[in-house]
Amino acid sequence: MNPKPHKDFSEDHNLKKVGGVNGVIWRSMENDIKALKISFVTGILSALVLLCYHHQARIVLACSGGMMGGDDFSSSDSSDYSSCDDSYSWSRPSRPVTDPVKGANEVRANLSNVDPSPKSVVKLQVGSLNTDRSLQKELNRIAQSADTSTSKGWKFVLQKSVLSLLQHSSYCVSGHSSVDVKWSAEGCKKVFYKLSIEERNKFDEVTLVNVNSIRKKSETSQSSNELPDGYIVVTIIVAARGVPELPPIQSNAQLKEALHKLASIPSSDIMAAQVLWTPQKEDDSLSEQKMREDYPLMHSL
């Protein structure tokens, strides 16, 4: 009779011990997996929160803009449009002139209808601190109350805007001016609208409009107390007969001089004027970095 094999209790004890260690390892791995899951979910939630916050911030801090003014290009003398261009050349008649005397008389008549005086498109751009938003509010009030259906109304808009900038000149931090000389109303018209479109394209949305009696106003939400005041940029574009001598704006004194030059243009010489500003909404803010990026030509004062 064979004796039963002797059971090695030490070996069994070692197996149990190994099994115990494996259990500890598995429990540790499970805890790590749970921790990773929690971290992953937390990361996703944090990313969603940040995305929503960023989206809301972009909505709140969208680059809103206002514009007001008008023009009387359509009522300008027709000879400005058809009789000459910017290089003082005249179009040939559609039919050949066979009579030299008659041809000379026609040329002489065309010459007498041409306005030889130069014209210009002036752009004045100002960056200002928007600390108490008083300039922003003043421009909004002008745009909401002005009657731009007549030249008298939109020329009044120009005068009031220039006056507002002069009153807030101590807050102005940067500026730029340019004068583009043309020899026809048509040339002025093209440059004027080109500059206007360029400035409007810097806005995410034109939220307040009063131009040639065309009106538009977007709803304004409540202003946040935590919203930074930032800056405001005001652009004035004027098409006029004559060439005003605006100084390069590199100091506060030169800015005031340029504003006075604009204000001194005779009302009868002004063919068009627009005032554009950003931000327009009081729940909007323009940062210094954004101002530098969008308006690189402005010099610090």
Side-chain angles (χ1 to χ4, degrees):
M1 183 175 178
N2 294 329
K4 292 181 180 180
H6 178 70
K7 187 175 182 180
D8 189 347
F9 289 98
S10 63
E11 182 180 350
D12 184 64
H13 177 71
N14 289 336
L15 286 173
K16 289 181 179 178
K17 184 177 180 181
V18 172
V21 171
N22 286 339
V24 171
I25 293 174
W26 276 108
R27 284 194 296 272
S28 177
M29 290 179 66
E30 287 178 354
N31 291 335
D32 289 343
I33 292 172
K34 288 179 180 179
L36 286 172
K37 286 181 178 179
I38 292 172
S39 298
F40 178 75
V41 173
T42 303
I44 293 293
L45 290 174
S46 298
L48 289 173
V49 170
L50 287 173
L51 183 62
C52 291
Y53 176 80
H54 179 68
H55 179 66
Q56 289 175 354
R58 282 186 59 84
I59 293 175
V60 172
L61 301 180
C63 192
S64 62
M67 58 183 298
M68 54 184 168
D71 67 80
D72 59 3
F73 285 123
S74 60
S75 62
S76 297
D77 189 342
S78 61
S79 63
D80 281 337
Y81 293 93
S82 60
S83 300
C84 67
D85 61 15
D86 291 343
S87 59
Y88 264 117
S89 63
W90 291 269
S91 58
R92 295 180 180 179
S94 57
R95 296 180 180 179
V97 178
T98 55
D99 185 349
V101 176
K102 182 179 179 181
N105 289 335
E106 288 182 358
V107 171
R108 195 175 293 111
N110 284 336
L111 287 172
S112 64
N113 289 329
V114 172
D115 179 6
S117 62
K119 301 165 184 64
S120 57
V121 179
V122 178
K123 184 174 84 169
L124 178 64
Q125 209 154 52
V126 181
S128 175
L129 293 172
N130 202 22
T131 306
D132 60 358
R133 298 185 179 266
S134 57
L135 175 59
Q136 180 187 34
K137 292 175 181 178
E138 179 63 21
L139 293 173
N140 289 345
R141 280 195 293 267
I142 296 170
Q144 291 169 6
S145 62
D147 177 11
T148 60
S149 62
T150 65
S151 62
K152 183 179 180 180
W154 54 257
K155 289 174 184 178
F156 175 76
V157 163
L158 173 62
Q159 294 170 357
K160 288 289 290 183
S161 300
V162 170
L163 180 60
S164 295
L165 282 171
L166 282 169
Q167 291 172 340
H168 292 82
S169 59
S170 59
Y171 295 97
C172 297
V173 296
S174 56
H176 170 70
S177 67
S178 66
V179 180
D180 195 338
V181 179
K182 296 295 177 183
W183 293 100
S184 69
E186 180 66 19
C188 280
K189 179 181 178 180
K190 290 178 180 178
V191 175
F192 180 87
Y193 286 137
K194 176 177 178 291
L195 292 176
S196 176
I197 291 170
E198 288 176 354
E199 295 305 318
R200 276 180 283 169
N201 285 340
K202 296 175 183 178
F203 306 156
D204 291 336
E205 182 185 3
V206 181
T207 49
L208 180 59
V209 177
N210 185 357
V211 177
N212 285 336
S213 73
I214 297 174
R215 291 176 177 268
K216 170 192 171 182
K217 182 183 178 182
S218 298
E219 292 298 325
T220 302
S221 58
Q222 291 297 322
S223 193
S224 172
N225 293 330
E226 298 179 357
L227 193 66
D229 291 323
Y231 296 82
I232 180 172
V233 174
V234 183
T235 304
I236 298 177
I237 307 172
V238 177
R241 299 174 183 86
V243 184
E245 297 180 2
L246 265 65
I249 302 175
Q250 297 179 346
S251 68
N252 198 271
Q254 289 176 327
L255 170 61
K256 290 180 180 178
E257 181 185 351
L259 288 169
H260 282 296
K261 290 277 187 181
L262 272 184
S264 64
I265 298 176
S267 179
S268 57
D269 287 342
I270 299 174
M271 298 183 290
Q274 271 190 20
V275 181
L276 304 97
W277 68 102
T278 182
Q280 182 275 315
K281 288 189 172 183
E282 292 182 25
D283 59 349
D284 193 1
S285 180
L286 178 66
S287 67
E288 181 178 2
Q289 180 181 354
K290 179 70 172 172
M291 181 176 68
R292 291 179 182 274
E293 289 175 356
D294 289 351
Y295 304 92
L297 296 178
M298 290 199 300
H299 295 280
S300 297
L301 303 181

